Amino acid sequence: MTDYDLVVRSRRAVTPEGERPVAVAVRGERVEALYGYADPLDAAEDIDLRDLPLLPGLVDTHVHVNEPGRTHWEGFASATRAAAAGGVTTIVDMPLNSVPPTVSVEALEVKLRAARGQCHVDVGFWGGAVPGNLKELRPLHERGVRGFKCFLSPSGVEEFPPLGTAELRAVLAEVAGFDGLVVVHAEDPELLAEPGGPTYREFLESRPGAAERSAVARVVALAAETGARVHILHVSSAECLGVLEAAQADGVAVTAETCPHYLTLEAEQVPEGGTAYKCCPPIRSRANRELLWEGLAKGVLSCVVSDHSPSPADLKVPDFAAAWGGVASLQLGLSAVWTEAARRGHGLADVVRWMSANPAAMARIPGKGAIRPGYDADLVAFDPDADNPVDAARLHHRNPVTPYHGRVLKGVVLTTWLRGRPVDGEPHGRLILGEQ
């Protein structure tokens, strides 16, 4: 009998103690122990990565899978294949744009039936908070959703309407009663407008940074009033950082995320007609992007997740006023963020904190986010120096639409292990509900 099922060795394993030489010993689905890199161990399989880094699997808590109902946009099989190819071993699915949206236990059960047997990585679920479903929140929490997504402005789909201020206050008070989490798309509808024309400049002007800052200030004030835990989704405007930093210093239970496209792309480089870049809130200026990096380095922004929101190519036309808003990047987030992080002097341990440990902690997903004894053996062999030219047609996303097409990113995922098994085409992902 061998002692371990799998040993993976790396001189550059990223652990909670930092980057160091380690032999990761796996028994069954979990990390059993960490040893010295060269320690002799008895294992059924012993893999030596030498100087290639070994990362914990990434945790992407902001993914629109869209199945059922809009499976021609994306689905569990295609989304989770893309995730694994990008080093992501856990995703959390948003309650829209699927039909029905996940706003009741019955709707969640429909989604669970659609997901079972298709997932190449582990999948958790957000519930939705919409007008009229306040009584559904506790049952959804008890069924095992990670928290509740809401909008303060129109979501883009009629079946998931936004909350007004009084409705948001009621949701926060209800969710605070069972120590749940509310995650918020924070844009103030009073400060948004229809684009004045078809260009990117006109679209950007229609969704100013002030709309984000105003909405974040409202959420923070209501969180302080109700004692609720809140998380601000996809911060694109640096105008939000001061509000968030002050609230965090005052002890308000608020965290915030940004996304790879806000950290890597810039409004000045959006090409004419390049509607693959359209998302809400929008990609802003180069100067704004640098301030987001500063907020991330300071910890005001703690998570970097994809907001993978794909659609068929025929919804990305004819112009920025009419096209569907959403960036498809689930497979590319690690390489995109690493490309820009390395240029700014950040290391792989920083990227792992932003893209694995912190999202897992925010969504309270047990056993994820670190190479640590007792945790799931979710591991990623990553070559940080390899060029990664992006061809949209070769991605695993269902539709070949991404603003990264034609770019050469840095860093390639070589192997992804989910709970000790390589992700190799046979789906063995689990559905994560509650504390399991």
Side-chain angles (χ1 to χ4, degrees), residues 2 4 14-15 77 109 154 161 235 372 380 422:
T2 54
Y4 300 108
V14 180
T15 72
E109 296 296 343
V235 173
R372 172 179 284 163
V380 176

Side-chain angles (χ1 to χ4, degrees), residues 61-93:
T61 54
H62 197 149
V63 179
H64 294 268
V65 176
N66 302 333
E67 185 175 3
R70 292 189 174 95
T71 312
H72 59 296
W73 293 19
E74 189 67 281
F76 285 103
S78 53
T80 56
R81 275 196 301 268
V88 177
T89 52
T90 305
I91 66 170
V92 185
D93 171 64

Side-chain angles (χ1 to χ4, degrees), residues 9 31 91 93 135 156 200 210 220 226 233 256 259 279 320 358 381 384 400:
R9 303 172 188 269
V31 175
I91 66 170
D93 171 64
K135 69 181 187 310
Y200 188 73
V220 163
T226 59
L233 300 167
C259 304
C279 54
F320 283 103
N358 287 351

Side-chain angles (χ1 to χ4, degrees), residues 128-408:
V130 296
N133 84 324
L134 192 66
K135 69 181 187 310
E136 302 286 351
L137 303 184
R138 186 179 289 271
L140 276 165
H141 170 75
E142 292 172 349
R143 185 66 179 92
V145 300
R146 311 321 303 175
F148 302 94
K149 163 78 172 285
C150 69
F151 280 75
L152 305 188
S153 55
S155 70
V157 292
E158 292 182 0
E159 67 271 9
F160 204 95
L163 298 177
T165 299
E167 292 165 323
L168 177 61
R169 179 185 288 107
V171 165
L172 292 175
E174 173 71 10
V175 174
F178 49 79
D179 193 29
L181 176 68
V182 178
V183 302
V184 186
H185 180 125
E187 290 182 284
D188 186 339
E190 297 298 320
L191 298 179
L192 302 179
E194 291 298 318
T199 68
Y200 188 73
R201 178 185 59 79
E202 289 164 309
F203 168 66
L204 182 59
E205 289 173 350
S206 75
R207 305 187 87 97
E212 283 190 75
R213 181 183 53 76
S214 172
V216 169
R218 183 182 311 164
V219 174
V220 163
L222 291 174
E225 176 187 325
T226 59
R229 290 191 300 124
V230 296
H231 178 75
I232 306 299
L233 300 167
H234 48 45
V235 173
S236 83
S237 173
E239 293 186 39
C240 300
L241 296 176
V243 177
L244 289 166
E245 187 170 14
Q248 291 163 354
D250 288 341
V252 178
V254 56
T255 54
E257 70 188 34
T258 192
C259 304
H261 41 282
Y262 302 132
L263 295 171
T264 62
L265 307 176
E266 56 194 57
E268 292 88 342
Q269 291 185 346
V270 174
E272 184 177 352
T275 54
Y277 289 75
K278 181 180 177 180
C279 54
C280 300
I283 295 162
R284 303 190 188 276
S285 69
R286 181 183 302 115
N288 178 85
R289 181 187 66 187
E290 297 313 308
L291 291 173
L292 292 180
W293 276 102
E294 292 179 16
L296 193 59
K298 292 174 67 176
V300 179
L301 304 173
S302 56
C303 303
V304 180
V305 292
S306 67
D307 189 11
H308 178 68
S309 186
S311 72
D314 61 5
L315 293 183
K316 283 296 205 179
V317 293
D319 54 42
F320 283 103
W324 173 261
V327 167
S329 65
L330 179 56
Q331 187 171 335
L332 301 170
L334 174 57
S335 296
V337 172
W338 171 242
T339 301
E340 296 298 324
R343 289 174 181 167
R344 292 165 173 79
H346 297 291
L348 286 171
D350 297 315
V351 173
V352 163
R353 184 172 66 255
W354 301 327
M355 302 188 77
S356 185
N358 287 351
M362 179 270 293
R364 292 185 176 175
I365 305 174
K368 303 292 188 181
I371 300 175
R372 172 179 284 163
Y375 276 47
D376 288 352
D378 296 348
L379 306 169
V380 176
F382 182 64
D383 185 345
D385 300 318
D387 286 342
N388 188 356
V390 179
D391 178 353
R394 299 181 64 185
L395 298 176
H396 291 285
H397 308 154
R398 174 149 291 165
N399 293 286
V401 180
T402 180
Y404 295 98
H405 177 70
R407 291 175 177 258
V408 179

Side-chain angles (χ1 to χ4, degrees), residues 98 126 176 229 315 389 419 432:
S98 56
W126 296 110
R229 290 191 300 124
L315 293 183
R419 289 179 279 103
I432 302 172

